[in-house]
Amino acid sequence: MLDLLLQPLSEPFFVRALVAVMLSGTTCACLGAYVVLRRMAFVSTALTHSILPGVVGALLLGFSPYLGALLAALLTAAGAAWLASRKGTSEDSAVGVMLSVMFAAGIALMQQANSWRDFAGLLFGSVVSVGSEDLLVIGVTGVIVLSGLRALHKELELASFDEEYAALLGARPALMRVVLLVLVALGSVACVRLVGALLTTALFVIPAATGVLLGRTVPQVMAWGAGCALLGGVGGLYLSYYAPAVPSGAGIVLCCALPYLAARIFAPRR
Amino acid sequence: MSRAIATLSRHLSDAIFAVLPVIPYAHKEKPGCPGIAVAAKQLTAAARPDGPVAFHDATFEIPCGCRTALIGPNGSGKSTLLRVLAGLTPIRSGQVLIAGEAPRLGRSRIAYLAQRPQLAENFPLKLRRLIQMGTYAHHGWFEECRHGDEAVDLALARLGLTELAERPVHTLSGGQLQRALIARAVVQGAEILLLDEPYAALDQPSREIIDRFLFEEGSAFTVVMATHDPADLGRFDRILEMRDGTVTTRHACSGHDHRHA
């Protein structure tokens, strides 16, 4: 049994993947607490999907795919905010428009690049290909996101719980929303390598949804969420190591869903 | 193991706050009431920027320490007037001074309680933390909430909430929540309370506690309260009636003025 756990650790790619999944899992779970509590799951889906045109465009133009992904995610957030600022378009439909337009643009660009196979990893994640540059990006974005969440904890909590009171105190709830969107964009860039553009949103939503079932304060929600993400991330990696038919991204998301189900069934009613 | 993680994260977060500068949310106000708490002149406002005018050319005064009832039928503009005073709704024309300044956001001396507060549902928050949010008025960006514990304890006790302090907010009754929001305003250091029908759908104990708090115990609050209850009006020092877009002062402040003379 112990051998089954230790044997993959002798492979450098597996260790890199393990570190990456633990870092980005924790980052996304903490950020996900606000995504879930503020009902921003749909926006976060739009941001993570828009990574596709960002990365493909960056590869075509020849600059860093991470930068491309971040720019595309920020463009999506800004575009949705602009569309929703006019009367007659709800935020929901503005996000829907941006999501589908950006994803379609990504598919069109992939045709330009003329190679679908190279982008399979982008859509579905490929843990095998995590290199030291990826680890650096994941580490740096993780530090930025977690310090941002810590430094602005009381303002983010206040603006999420009682937006009007935040405005009355002068604590700028609209600005806090923008900050959260930027952090979500950063966070999704950090985990696109692991689970792919299509499933990144799961890392925001599933662990944090588990946390909401178990935690009684926002930090507790984050801690339970991070625990769930670590469990699911590590479990998913082992799953796809021993069952190669299961891609790592899918494995991670499926393993994150298990603690959620357990919490859903067994958690005491809050 | 978990203790080591807690200590480490404690040190890390201390480092974050040591590096970042503390920036106040808004510029500070001079304490004390300048005699007249609210002075409106030819005030006109609408609930929404593109909507119809809620009231027009309202001219009235509310002295400091005066408990004022705002009466009138539904849709007469009571809520809009309170939101204008709170700085949440812009004025169309005319002028109004509240505690000597034009209405704006970020004023710790003014507290506003909406008729139906829009709080996030099922938010993981304990009652104590909700009341602590009042102390944020005396904190700033990038500052940990470290002072104000005594004020929170005192406010909990005064509004009969001490035993509920650790309860999750979403398990509280409407009356308990209303008391908590008033406690938060007290902790914030508010001197002028703008209350939009605070008694709507309250249980009797909560109503009595809030009543005692606002109208007895030598409280020095200036209260502007929208109300529907005609039985209530005897306790107020001044009554402003809103009808057909106009505001009329029905009953002038008398007994309480001496406290601030």
Side-chain angles (χ1 to χ4, degrees):
Chain A
M1 178 65 194
L2 198 60
D3 276 353
L4 287 178
L5 287 179
L6 290 178
Q7 197 240 322
L9 294 177
S10 59
E11 313 239 23
F13 89 88
F14 191 87
V15 176
R16 277 200 303 272
L18 208 57
V19 174
V21 87
M22 288 167 84
L23 280 174
S24 57
T26 310
T27 307
C28 289
C30 291
L31 198 47
Y34 285 115
V35 171
V36 168
L37 290 172
R38 297 175 65 115
R39 296 158 199 248
M40 287 167 64
F42 191 40
V43 185
S44 81
T45 309
L47 295 194
T48 53
H49 277 55
S50 66
I51 283 177
L52 179 72
V55 172
V56 182
L59 290 178
L60 284 173
L61 294 170
F63 60 93
S64 158
Y66 281 117
L67 189 61
L70 184 60
L71 288 178
L74 294 177
L75 181 69
T76 304
W82 180 71
L83 288 179
S85 69
R86 293 295 295 272
K87 223 181 167 188
T89 305
S90 71
E91 185 177 286
D92 208 40
S93 42
V95 171
V97 168
M98 284 309 290
L99 167 82
S100 31
V101 165
M102 290 299 275
F103 203 68
I107 293 170
L109 284 173
M110 270 162 57
Q111 288 287 16
Q112 293 292 309
N114 231 342
S115 146
W116 280 80
R117 180 129 38 94
D118 296 352
F119 295 121
L122 181 59
L123 286 173
F124 305 114
S126 75
V127 157
V128 191
S129 64
V130 170
S132 44
E133 190 212 356
D134 299 311
L135 277 184
L136 184 70
V137 170
I138 292 171
V140 170
T141 47
V143 168
I144 294 175
V145 169
L146 292 178
S147 346
L149 287 179
R150 185 68 197 94
L152 291 170
H153 172 65
K154 74 180 195 302
E155 289 82 7
L156 287 169
E157 183 186 59
L158 172 62
S160 308
F161 172 66
D162 188 349
E163 193 171 338
E164 192 163 83
Y165 191 62
L168 284 167
L169 289 184
R172 312 283 298 274
L175 178 68
M176 286 304 98
R177 190 181 158 75
V178 173
V179 167
L180 266 182
L181 285 176
V182 172
L183 291 181
V184 168
L186 276 170
S188 29
V189 169
C191 42
V192 70
R193 258 281 193 256
L194 299 167
V195 291
L198 293 180
L199 284 178
T200 298
T201 190
L203 284 192
F204 287 116
V205 175
I206 300 177
T210 316
V212 168
L213 288 174
L214 300 171
R216 287 160 71 90
T217 64
V218 175
Q220 281 178 17
V221 168
M222 290 180 174
W224 280 109
C228 165
L230 289 177
L231 212 65
V234 174
L237 282 185
Y238 276 98
L239 177 67
S240 68
Y241 184 86
Y242 286 110
V246 181
S248 55
I252 291 169
V253 173
L254 288 174
C255 285
C256 280
L258 291 179
Y260 172 72
L261 271 182
R264 188 70 189 77
I265 295 167
F266 296 113
R269 281 250 170 116
R270 293 200 303 133
Chain B
M1 176 68 179
S2 64
R3 187 172 294 174
I5 293 177
T7 319
L8 182 68
S9 56
R10 171 95 247 151
H11 284 309
L12 285 175
S13 73
D14 281 352
I16 293 170
F17 287 112
V19 173
L20 294 168
V22 174
I23 305 165
Y25 294 136
H27 64 83
K28 284 268 181 287
E29 304 173 83
K30 282 188 250 87
C33 194
I36 302 294
V38 181
K41 210 183 270 176
Q42 305 282 304
L43 182 64
T44 302
R48 282 183 304 279
D50 50 356
V53 165
F55 56 88
H56 59 85
D57 301 309
T59 301
F60 62 90
E61 275 186 0
I62 298 172
C64 291
C66 179
R67 286 75 178 261
T68 303
L70 210 53
I71 60 168
N74 281 328
S76 57
K78 301 189 295 290
S79 297
T80 306
L81 176 57
L82 290 174
R83 291 180 67 84
V84 165
L85 296 179
L88 288 164
T89 298
I91 58 178
R92 278 270 171 93
S93 63
Q95 59 161 306
V96 59
L97 294 180
I98 176 156
E101 271 187 71
R104 65 170 167 87
L105 297 173
R107 297 184 69 177
S108 58
R109 297 167 59 197
I110 297 163
Y112 163 76
L113 252 69
Q115 191 178 354
R116 279 178 220 89
Q118 304 287 316
L119 306 177
E121 280 170 40
N122 278 324
F123 199 88
L125 193 80
K126 290 180 183 170
L127 174 64
R128 191 184 172 82
R129 181 81 178 168
L130 165 75
I131 295 173
Q132 203 178 29
M133 284 173 170
T135 69
Y136 294 1
H138 309 288
H139 289 77
W141 298 104
F142 310 127
E143 187 177 17
E144 244 188 323
C145 187
R146 281 199 172 134
H147 50 87
D149 269 357
E150 287 160 23
V152 173
D153 286 335
L154 190 64
L156 279 167
R158 284 179 75 185
L159 285 145
L161 294 166
T162 307
E163 275 155 32
L164 304 173
E166 295 302 313
R167 280 267 295 274
V169 167
H170 63 85
T171 63
L172 300 176
S173 74
Q176 291 163 340
L177 188 63
Q178 189 71 276
R179 280 187 273 154
L181 296 176
I182 291 179
R184 182 172 73 176
V186 173
V187 169
Q188 175 195 326
E191 295 162 6
I192 301 177
L193 303 181
L194 308 169
L195 309 173
D196 198 349
E197 301 198 19
Y199 295 136
L202 274 204
D203 50 292
Q204 196 57 30
S206 289
R207 197 191 156 114
E208 278 165 16
I209 292 171
I210 294 175
D211 260 357
R212 207 163 49 232
F213 185 75
L214 293 178
F215 293 95
E216 296 164 28
E217 295 183 11
S219 85
F221 295 113
T222 305
V223 175
V224 186
M225 184 193 293
T227 178
H228 264 307
D229 192 348
D232 260 0
L233 298 179
R235 297 172 308 174
F236 289 94
D237 309 313
R238 174 165 294 217
I239 296 168
L240 292 180
E241 183 173 8
M242 304 190 73
R243 192 177 288 276
D244 305 325
T246 61
V247 182
T248 332
T249 305
R250 280 250 307 259
H251 175 20
C253 214
S254 52
H256 290 279
D257 287 348
H258 64 273
R259 286 185 317 206
H260 291 273

